[in-house]
Amino acid sequence: MSQLSALVDKLLTNVSSGYFPEGHISEQIFPFVGVTQKTGKLGKYSNQHLRVESSYVGGRGAYRRVEPIVRSSATYEIDSHGLEGLVTPDDVRNVETPFQAEQDEVLGLATQLWVEKEVILSTALADTATITQNVTLSGTSQFNDYDNSDPLARFSTARLAVKDGCGKFPDTAWMDSKVMNYLRFHPQMLDNLGYKFSRSGGLTDDELARALMVKRVLVADVSYNTAVEGQADTLASAWGKHMWFGVCPEQAAVRQMSAGYRLGYAGKQPRQVYKYAVNNPPESTAVLCSDEYDFLIANVGAIYLIKSCIA
């Protein structure tokens, strides 16, 4: 009779494998505005006050009456997003360390909501019907072609277009990490900062901001699964192969120029988690994760899109 017995490999308790994105930028691009009502309006000024009017007066001549301020508004509407998961007693009993039944469920739901948030904003900002100041690159003009592409000329065009579109130069640029990777080592970018022959590690984030002539560079590093459920996973960048320049102050204020605003309920953090007991199956716990927000594009003249930067 064999003295050998079946062995079961035990899970490692101090390590586990999984991809949970950390490079989200959807909540960093536009300044946040906390509101109390689901719908409302953003006050806007026209450029009437920038017109040059004849203002010469003399003697008993009356001052010429003008209307320098023309006001309008844009409507926002907070959308509610939510997902629910279930943790059963069997989940708790059968899930072993390093897995954690309830904590994993919360993390999974929050991740799905945040990934969706990235895709919602990136899709809106990559729509050339909305962002009318744009260019689409192809072939040798794409930045992965180090011998022929001219990124500095593209950036200059973008910056000037924003200046002409809203009166201010862009202060923020944002892109996917793949686009950043090509720009970090682009010979023209290195040469522009004097590092052509002495920068094996590529440009730092601060140096790239200098080359782009903006205060902030936001780099997205979020992938999402595009495969139909049940099929082999296919990961794609949530922010595509594009980059943007925009006027995006870090704080919201009155009478400011901003390409857009991120609106949410005042005093409420994104991705709130709720739990409640359910009895089907008995003694289970339902886990809900919710988020409420709206991305309001306030001035399309304050954004420039460079589409398909890389192949």
Side-chain angles (χ1 to χ4, degrees):
M1 185 175 186
S2 173
Q3 300 298 309
L4 297 177
S5 59
L7 299 177
V8 177
D9 291 337
K10 301 298 290 183
L11 280 170
L12 296 173
T13 60
N14 60 347
V15 65
S16 59
S17 176
Y19 171 59
F20 295 90
E22 297 179 349
H24 307 83
I25 64 171
S26 58
E27 295 175 3
Q28 300 179 55
I29 297 172
F30 295 150
F32 175 74
V33 179
V35 299
T36 58
Q37 296 179 320
K38 182 178 178 64
T39 62
K41 295 183 178 182
L42 168 73
K44 301 176 67 174
Y45 293 96
S46 77
N47 289 330
Q48 182 71 15
H49 58 286
L50 300 179
R51 295 187 181 280
V52 177
E53 302 281 2
S54 178
S55 61
Y56 292 108
V57 295
R60 293 179 177 272
Y63 284 22
R64 182 165 172 257
R65 181 169 295 173
V66 297
E67 294 185 33
I69 299 298
V70 176
R71 304 174 185 88
S72 63
S73 62
T75 301
Y76 73 82
E77 180 172 355
I78 303 294
D79 291 323
S80 298
H81 302 258
L83 296 171
E84 181 184 50
L86 186 68
V87 180
T88 69
D90 280 347
D91 293 330
V92 176
R93 282 190 290 264
N94 296 328
V95 168
E96 298 181 0
T97 304
F99 300 128
Q100 297 173 304
E102 193 169 293
Q103 292 89 332
D104 286 350
E105 197 74 13
V106 170
L107 179 59
L109 295 172
T111 298
Q112 287 185 302
L113 282 184
W114 210 347
V115 168
E116 181 194 32
K117 197 173 196 175
E118 298 286 307
V119 173
I120 286 174
L121 181 57
S122 67
T123 300
L125 294 178
D127 184 356
T128 56
T130 300
I131 309 303
T132 53
Q133 297 184 145
N134 64 77
V135 65
T136 299
L137 305 185
S138 62
T140 57
S141 66
Q142 292 176 304
F143 300 155
N144 53 284
D145 189 333
Y146 284 171
D147 293 327
N148 298 293
S149 61
D150 190 359
L152 292 179
R154 298 292 181 183
F155 301 156
S156 178
T157 298
R159 293 175 57 256
L160 291 173
V162 172
K163 172 66 173 174
D164 290 341
C166 72
K168 297 189 68 173
F169 280 111
D171 53 32
T172 305
W174 61 97
M175 70 201 76
D176 180 73
S177 57
K178 287 185 178 180
V179 177
M180 162 71 93
N181 187 61
Y182 278 107
L183 290 180
R184 195 183 297 278
F185 294 96
H186 199 291
Q188 190 186 68
M189 304 286 288
L190 293 167
D191 193 27
N192 176 260
L193 296 178
Y195 298 132
K196 187 171 185 178
F197 302 107
S198 60
R199 202 64 168 185
S200 58
L203 299 177
T204 66
D205 291 354
D206 288 341
E207 289 166 344
L208 188 59
R210 284 170 52 199
L212 299 178
M213 298 183 70
V214 294
K215 295 178 181 178
R216 296 191 300 157
V217 175
L218 302 177
V219 182
D221 194 14
V222 177
S223 296
Y224 70 108
N225 192 352
T226 64
V228 175
E229 189 169 358
Q231 301 298 313
D233 292 345
T234 302
L235 295 182
S237 165
W239 285 86
K241 299 177 179 180
H242 324 306
M243 69 178 296
W244 294 259
F245 286 79
V247 179
C248 302
E250 296 186 61
Q251 300 291 331
V254 297
R255 301 190 188 96
Q256 75 176 172
M257 174 53 62
S258 181
Y261 294 93
R262 177 173 62 91
L263 297 109
Y265 291 122
K268 196 170 186 180
Q269 294 297 317
R271 292 169 299 285
Q272 297 277 321
V273 176
Y274 305 91
K275 303 174 187 178
Y276 66 94
V278 295
N279 292 313
N280 188 14
E283 300 180 358
S284 297
T285 300
V287 180
L288 298 89
C289 190
S290 69
D291 203 352
E292 297 90 13
Y293 56 86
D294 183 29
F295 292 111
L296 177 62
I297 299 175
N299 191 329
V300 295
I303 307 178
Y304 189 94
L305 162 65
I306 304 178
K307 201 171 178 71
S308 301
C309 291
I310 58 176

